[in-house]
């Protein structure tokens, strides 16, 4: 029998490398998506104010996929493949196929469908990777584990972001006829598909997960039957469920009354759907039926630990700012710094410069994750380190208003890169040490709801705001990004580490 007081073995440098190397490939995929999807959509003829609606696929798929995958991966054990690795592998195969197919789009609807498939597949791989670090490492190594993961994220994003620019320098055609995707983007996406699959396969092959009995010895037996979740659900009233549904109905009524953009119907439908799902879960619990997947997810969402709730507010503001940046940096840079319209050679040059800017902030993040942030965290704590990093990001967004030379935007990206490094490491390190390890997958999936909900809100609302107040001035989106990133920093004042 295993000693229940035993501790996980300490991982060396090679173990830390193998555990997180797959994220290098996953982030190549995310970087290609983030830096080039607005470019692809605009090349295929979409208008500026329709961009957020087309991007809605990314947050919606994350919202639906991540809690489900987190719940399932907590309960999976497929022999030699283990607990989390089956999801790494399945997601990598699907994402690689989507990356290969994406630049072959000849119509906007096909590009939008491939974005759905790509983002869903990346989320299937990514969410278990967050829990994987917590599974494999001792609590005193969580900080360094997430720092190494962040370094791979930054490195992968540099490669994915800068590759079209590098191809242009190597003589690959960066211009394309109207309605066509440049060869620089097409080849970059093909390369990204191969690199993503190879990197994830490396982690799958070089790591061995702890078997269920070993995890029980380290962290205690998992309550897969959900007895505690079922008990807490049965004690709840239906008030909150009704409140969510009423809020959804109110959103639908506002959309109809004020003729708002129709993608906002999706926001209302999601609120109604969550209200209905929580009501069903409570009714099943009160009736003595099993919690099931729905009950577990609803119950764990309602029963989040206090520190997770406080960090969730920080995440909400943080990822609102990031999603604004990903959608709007291409139109901002091409219009204000290159004076170019979609379909022109100058537009493609400006879009390639956005790739360089995105590579810069990711490169800064990779370095900061292993140098600046650990040094700060040892001296002032992870919570204060995250607060300072978020303020750096807010300053980076605000600087778009005062800089006129596109070359100087590199300085803006340094501040954003420091924030990005902390965003990818500090909240997860704080959580992984505070949450029950046996439910780490579902809690990480639920935590990422607060990554995707703000993106969904931006995708459905930002286009309406811009159309109403700044229809031809996308630079103002950077003011929104700076303001909400500063709000995230203020919200960190409420977070206290153990």
């Amino acid at each position: 029998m295993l000693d229940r007081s035993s501790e996980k073995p300490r991982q060396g440098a090679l173990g830390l490398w193998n555990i997180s190397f797959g994220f290098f490939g996953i982030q190549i995929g995310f970087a290609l998506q983030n830096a080039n999807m607005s470019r692809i959509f605009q090349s295929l003829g979409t208008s500026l104010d329709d961009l957020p609606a087309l991007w809605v696929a990314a947050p919606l798929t994350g919202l639906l996929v991540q809690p489900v995958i987190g719940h399932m991966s907590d309960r999976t054990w497929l022999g030699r493949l283990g607990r989390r690795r089956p999801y790494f592998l399945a997601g990598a195969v699907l994402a690689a196929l989507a990356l290969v197919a994406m630049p072959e789009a000849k119509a906007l609807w096909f590009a939008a469908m491939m974005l759905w498939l790509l983002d869903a597949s990346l989320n299937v791989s990514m969410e278990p990777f967050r829990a994987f670090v917590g599974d494999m490492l001792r609590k005193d190594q969580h900080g360094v584990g997430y720092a190494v993961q962040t370094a791979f994220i930054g490195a992968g994003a540099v490669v994915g972001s800068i590759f079209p620019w590098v191809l242009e320098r190597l003589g690959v055609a960066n211009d394309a006829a109207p309605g066509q995707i440049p060869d620089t983007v097409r080849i970059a996406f093909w390369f990204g598909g191969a690199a993503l699959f190879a990197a994830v396969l490396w982690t799958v092959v070089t790591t061995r997960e702890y078997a269920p009995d070993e995890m029980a010895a380290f962290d205690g037996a998992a309550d897969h039957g959900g007895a505690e979740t079922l008990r807490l659900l049965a004690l709840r009233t239906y008030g909150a469920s009704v409140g969510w549904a009423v809020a959804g109905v109110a959103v639908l009524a506002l959309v109809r009354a004020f003729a708002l953009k129709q993608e906002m119907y999706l926001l209302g439908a999601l609120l109604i759907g969550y209200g209905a799902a929580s009501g069903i879960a409570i009714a099943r619990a009160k009736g003595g039926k099993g919690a099931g997947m729905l009950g577990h997810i609803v119950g764990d969402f309602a029963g989040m630990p206090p520190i997770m709730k406080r960090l969730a507010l920080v995440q909400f503001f943080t990822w609102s700012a990031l999603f604004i940046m990903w959608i709007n940096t291409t139109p901002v840079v091409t219009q204000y710094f290159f004076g170019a319209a979609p379909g022109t050679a100058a537009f493609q040059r400006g879009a390639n410069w956005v790739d360089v800017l995105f590579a810069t902030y990711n490169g800064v993040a990779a370095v900061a994750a292993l140098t600046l942030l650990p040094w700060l965290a040892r001296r002032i704590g992870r919570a204060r380190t995250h607060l300072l990093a978020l303020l750096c990001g807010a300053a980076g967004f605000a600087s778009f208003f005062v800089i006129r030379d596109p070359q100087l935007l590199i300085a803006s990206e340094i501040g954003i890169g420091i924030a990005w490094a902390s965003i990818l490491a500090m909240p997860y390190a704080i959580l992984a040490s505070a949450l029950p390890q046996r439910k780490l997958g579902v809690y990480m999936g639920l935590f990422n709801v607060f990554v995707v909900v703000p993106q969904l809100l931006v995708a459905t609302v930002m286009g309406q705001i811009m159309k109403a107040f700044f229809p031809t001035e996308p630079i103002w989106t950077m003011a929104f990004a700076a303001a909400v990133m500063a709000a995230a920093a203020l919200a960190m004042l409420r977070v206290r580490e153990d």
Side-chain angles (χ1 to χ4, degrees), residues 436-452:
Q437 299 298 297
R438 62 185 179 274
K439 300 181 75 171
L440 198 55
V442 69
Y443 272 131
M444 286 295 184
L446 290 171
F447 188 58
N448 282 328
V449 166
F450 299 98
V451 170
V452 298

Side-chain angles (χ1 to χ4, degrees), residues 228-230 232-233 236 274 278 281-282 291-304 439 443 446:
E228 180 64 11
T229 299
L230 196 64
L232 294 174
L233 272 176
R236 294 180 62 195
Y274 179 72
S278 64
I282 293 169
M293 182 187 296
L294 179 64
H296 276 287
I297 292 174
V298 170
D300 290 331
F301 184 80
M304 289 186 296
K439 300 181 75 171
Y443 272 131
L446 290 171

Side-chain angles (χ1 to χ4, degrees), residues 133-156:
V133 173
D135 289 347
M136 300 296 292
L137 300 180
R138 302 154 54 108
K139 288 189 177 183
D140 62 356
Q141 284 196 293
H142 284 166
V144 69
Y146 285 106
V148 170
Q149 191 176 87
T150 299
F152 276 125
I153 291 171

Side-chain angles (χ1 to χ4, degrees), residues 60-421:
L60 181 59
T61 51
L63 178 66
L64 298 176
V65 167
Q66 291 198 17
V68 172
I69 294 299
H71 172 86
M72 292 173 62
S73 69
D74 279 342
R75 288 156 175 76
T76 295
W77 185 258
L78 297 182
R80 295 179 64 182
L81 261 183
R83 188 185 192 193
R84 314 290 184 188
R85 291 179 298 164
Y87 298 93
F88 302 166
L89 193 57
V93 170
L94 293 173
L97 292 174
L99 283 167
V100 170
M102 177 75 75
E104 299 306 307
K106 298 294 189 291
L108 198 57
W109 66 266
F110 182 80
M113 284 184 62
M114 287 300 100
L115 177 59
W116 277 75
L117 176 60
L118 175 60
D119 204 84
S121 304
L122 290 172
N123 275 288
V124 168
S125 279
M126 181 192 74
E127 196 287 326
F129 257 106
R130 295 293 192 194
F132 191 54
V133 173
D135 289 347
M136 300 296 292
L137 300 180
R138 302 154 54 108
K139 288 189 177 183
D140 62 356
Q141 284 196 293
H142 284 166
V144 69
Y146 285 106
V148 170
Q149 191 176 87
T150 299
F152 276 125
I153 291 171
V158 168
V159 173
S161 297
I162 206 170
F163 206 66
W165 181 83
V166 171
L167 289 173
E168 181 188 16
R169 294 299 180 275
L170 294 175
V172 177
N174 191 51
D175 297 329
Q180 300 294 317
I181 310 299
D183 285 347
T184 50
V185 176
R186 294 171 68 239
I187 294 172
F189 271 65
W190 296 342
F191 162 80
L196 186 156
F197 179 75
V200 171
L201 188 63
W202 177 279
T203 289
V204 170
V205 170
T206 60
T207 56
R208 184 193 73 82
E209 296 187 69
Y210 297 117
D213 58 340
E214 293 176 297
M215 290 299 291
F218 297 140
D219 304 313
D223 178 22
H224 291 331
E228 180 64 11
T229 299
L230 196 64
R231 185 184 70 81
L232 294 174
L233 272 176
L235 293 174
R236 294 180 62 195
T237 67
Y238 294 100
S241 303
V242 172
W244 286 108
V246 169
V249 171
V251 169
L252 298 182
L254 287 172
V255 174
R256 184 176 181 85
F258 293 98
L260 302 178
K261 297 194 75 169
Q262 294 202 357
E263 60 264 24
M264 290 188 66
Y265 280 120
L266 180 61
L267 182 61
L270 285 171
L271 292 172
I272 294 171
Y274 179 72
S278 64
I280 292 169
I282 293 169
R284 286 177 57 85
K286 288 181 180 295
K289 299 178 181 178
M293 182 187 296
L294 179 64
H296 276 287
I297 292 174
V298 170
D300 290 331
F301 184 80
M304 289 186 296
I307 192 169
M308 186 171 169
K309 292 178 182 178
R310 295 188 181 103
L311 281 169
L313 181 63
V314 177
Q315 292 289 84
F316 179 86
F317 289 125
T318 299
W319 286 85
S320 296
L322 292 172
F323 202 60
I324 291 170
M325 174 187 72
W326 291 329
I327 294 176
N328 294 288
T329 300
T330 294
V332 167
V333 170
T334 53
Q335 178 177 327
Y336 283 88
F337 295 91
F338 284 80
T344 64
F347 175 85
Q348 300 297 351
R349 287 196 300 275
N352 270 12
W353 185 243
V354 172
D355 290 340
V356 175
L357 295 177
F358 279 24
T360 300
Y361 86 74
N362 281 291
V364 169
V367 174
L370 296 177
T371 55
L372 175 64
L373 296 186
W375 179 83
L376 278 175
R378 286 193 298 271
R379 283 155 179 78
I380 63 174
R382 289 177 292 194
R384 290 190 180 91
T385 296
H386 194 44
L387 188 156
L388 290 177
L390 293 174
L391 289 176
C392 289
F397 290 129
S399 67
F400 272 71
F401 282 86
V402 297
I403 291 174
R404 295 294 178 265
D405 184 347
Q407 304 289 328
L408 296 181
L409 290 176
I410 295 291
S412 306
E413 300 302 321
I414 292 173
I416 295 170
I418 293 171
W420 181 232

